[in-house]
Amino acid sequence: MALPAGAGVGDGSGAGAGAGAAAGAETGAAAETGAVSSGTGVTGGAGGTNRPRRRTPHHRRASAALLLAAATAAASGCAFGGDYGGGLAYGDPGERAASATPIPIGLLLDTSGTDGTAGTDARDGFQLYVSQHGGRLGGRPAGLTISNEGPTPSATATTMQTMLAHGVQAVVGPIDYAGYESVAPLADAAHVPLVGVVARPDLTDISYVWNVAFLSTEPGAAIAPFIYNHVKSPVFAIGGNYPGDWEQVRGFTDSYSALGGKLANTGGQATFTPATSFSPSGETTDFSPYLQAIKESGAKAVYCAFTGDEAVRFVQQYARSAVKDIPLYAVGLVTDGPLLKLEGAAATDITSVLDYSPDVDTAANRTFVSAWAAGHDGQEPSVYALTGYDAAALLDQAIGQAGPKAGAEAINAAIGALGRIDSPRGAWQLASTTHAPIQKWYLRRVQVDGTALANVEIEELATLPD
């Protein structure tokens, strides 16, 4: 991926900042090299209210902006890493004094394996923010070391150790749930902040662990009252046989049951695939036994949490099954980003919950969506693109507050002292107890918007307490 000159991307030393790093030391798996461009100008910040409202008209405007951005990019020969339209994004101090002291940052993301699409989007979102801020974070030249996660949690931990040995002062990632659990203790031991960009598992020590996405149980907890108020009948809960999916389903079932809702599953317990009675091991390819179980349960609605290929297969097989007319609710990751393109028309009318929708009606989001589209063939940003972008924003503000020569511990303390962060998703702030965002949640529905399917925001859901 060729990127124009700007902040250094390579060995994390910052030596390439401003001129572009041509060569980077490989850390762990494969390190990527290149540079990030700079931009000029100032754009508007986030806005909006807590009042539920429909977004379909704005979504049409956002789609028009995407087409315009794509056409502009094509006409100018703009590729990713080029001029995203320039501009300082939300939350930038503007008058902050520049420093000559580089800040080495590690991006530990899966950009080629099972979670490659999510990792690539998070990487690109992070680099987009840096490019919009003159190749700097906190006024300091950003030296980025980008390393692939390993195929196993232990391999990811080894890559993290190599990054720490190279002197990074903060790490963003990883994508894999189990990998997250393997590297968090290393961040705590090294006193280097770890900024997560995906749903975070429960961890014992989070002194140096931060998250710009959400806790795994939160999406289900956010949508449970809506489903309870609109269904008030037995709901069948189902998810993949994977720790992240367990937690995402548990967030719904615990909250729904606390409201007085009943599960339609046998024994009142959620179903996880593959069940030993249907598949001995590995991913589920045939969901027909589960769909039959849903039919026999008398469920009036279904809530699901799947990832990757399993999400695509479940959605497509559900749409062809005898239960296709039973309303399907989901964690937003089921239909987010490239998965929706793979699912196609089968995903129509799925109602989901997530902390971001590309048609959030704020100036900051319109700028973000247009800039992303300009570098990605007119595509809308996924939630991973958003969290990568916000991870850079978080570090930008913390590094700026920590001082021109501050290291990892001072940056970590500054993260903890941050208040409101204005983001394309809307304003949020870190909870003192979980180090994860206190934020709005959005109810989205897959609908045709113009000529394409999109997750259209239906309304804002309640903000979960700290």
Side-chain angles (χ1 to χ4, degrees):
M1 176 176 59
L3 304 176
V9 181
D11 64 3
S13 66
E26 293 189 358
T27 59
E32 299 183 8
T33 61
V36 183
S37 68
S38 61
T40 59
V42 180
T43 62
T49 68
N50 292 319
R51 174 174 58 86
R53 56 197 182 277
R54 295 192 177 273
R55 301 288 194 179
T56 304
H58 168 66
H59 190 80
R60 287 194 290 270
R61 295 195 299 272
S63 297
L66 287 171
L67 292 173
L68 176 60
T72 302
S76 63
C78 176
F80 173 74
D83 186 354
Y84 287 95
L88 299 179
Y90 64 90
D92 190 84
E95 300 300 324
R96 180 168 49 203
S99 168
T101 305
I103 182 68
I105 304 294
L107 303 186
L108 181 58
L109 302 166
D110 183 356
T111 56
S112 61
T114 303
D115 299 310
T117 301
T120 299
D121 279 4
R123 177 201 65 194
D124 289 1
F126 192 98
Q127 290 184 321
L128 169 56
Y129 184 94
V130 175
S131 77
Q132 290 178 327
H133 290 73
R136 294 173 178 267
L137 290 173
R140 297 167 62 177
L144 305 182
T145 297
I146 305 173
S147 295
N148 236 337
E149 295 174 37
T152 64
S154 61
T156 300
T158 298
T159 305
M160 172 77 164
Q161 290 170 328
T162 305
M163 277 188 160
L164 294 172
H166 278 77
V168 298
Q169 299 301 295
V171 176
V172 175
I175 299 296
D176 181 65
Y177 196 92
Y180 207 133
E181 293 176 312
S182 73
V183 301
L186 300 177
D188 284 324
H191 292 187
V192 171
L194 176 69
V195 181
V197 292
V198 297
R200 178 176 74 74
D202 289 333
L203 299 169
T204 302
D205 188 351
I206 58 170
S207 301
Y208 287 81
V209 178
W210 308 89
N211 191 279
V212 298
F214 50 85
L215 301 183
S216 295
T217 55
E218 290 181 333
I223 199 173
F226 178 88
I227 295 177
Y228 178 76
N229 290 330
H230 288 78
V231 177
K232 295 184 178 179
S233 299
V235 174
F236 196 99
I238 184 170
N241 198 11
Y242 175 75
D245 295 343
W246 300 342
E247 292 297 292
Q248 289 170 12
V249 170
R250 181 172 67 85
F252 170 74
T253 57
D254 286 356
S255 298
Y256 191 67
S257 297
L259 292 168
K262 304 297 182 183
L263 295 183
N265 307 65
T266 302
Q269 299 293 318
T271 300
F272 294 99
T273 67
T276 54
S277 58
F278 299 150
S279 177
S281 62
E283 291 188 349
T284 302
T285 56
D286 179 11
F287 284 93
S288 58
Y290 302 99
L291 298 171
Q292 181 63 30
I294 292 172
K295 180 181 179 181
E296 295 174 354
S297 73
K300 302 302 181 183
V302 175
Y303 181 80
C304 72
F306 291 100
T307 56
D309 291 341
E310 276 196 312
V312 176
R313 287 192 291 266
F314 180 79
V315 167
Q316 291 179 338
Q317 292 178 36
Y318 192 96
R320 298 193 301 264
S321 74
V323 298
K324 63 183 180 181
D325 293 328
I326 297 178
L328 180 58
Y329 296 88
V331 175
L333 302 178
V334 171
T335 61
D336 194 62
L339 293 186
L340 180 58
K341 292 184 66 176
L342 295 172
E343 291 157 356
T348 302
D349 290 333
I350 293 177
T351 302
S352 68
V353 57
L354 203 59
D355 57 344
Y356 177 64
S357 176
D359 66 336
V360 171
D361 194 5
T362 66
N365 189 52
R366 289 191 292 273
T367 299
F368 171 62
V369 170
S370 295
W372 179 268
H376 293 82
D377 297 325
Q379 298 298 310
E380 290 186 335
S382 69
V383 70
Y384 303 109
L386 179 279
T387 53
Y389 193 80
D390 275 4
L394 180 82
L395 289 174
D396 182 38
Q397 295 191 36
I399 293 166
Q401 291 189 21
K405 295 185 178 180
E409 292 201 53
I411 293 169
N412 192 74
I415 293 174
L418 292 177
R420 164 181 162 141
I421 297 175
D422 290 320
S423 160
R425 75 180 94 170
W428 60 273
Q429 67 183 61
L430 290 166
S432 59
T433 55
T434 64
H435 290 185
I438 302 172
Q439 61 188 333
K440 294 177 182 177
W441 289 90
Y442 298 99
L443 191 73
R444 318 179 318 167
R445 185 163 296 138
V446 176
Q447 298 175 349
V448 174
D449 185 73
T451 60
L453 285 172
N455 287 288
V456 177
E457 181 193 338
I458 302 302
E459 65 179 75
E460 293 174 6
L461 300 173
T463 298
L464 299 179
D466 184 350

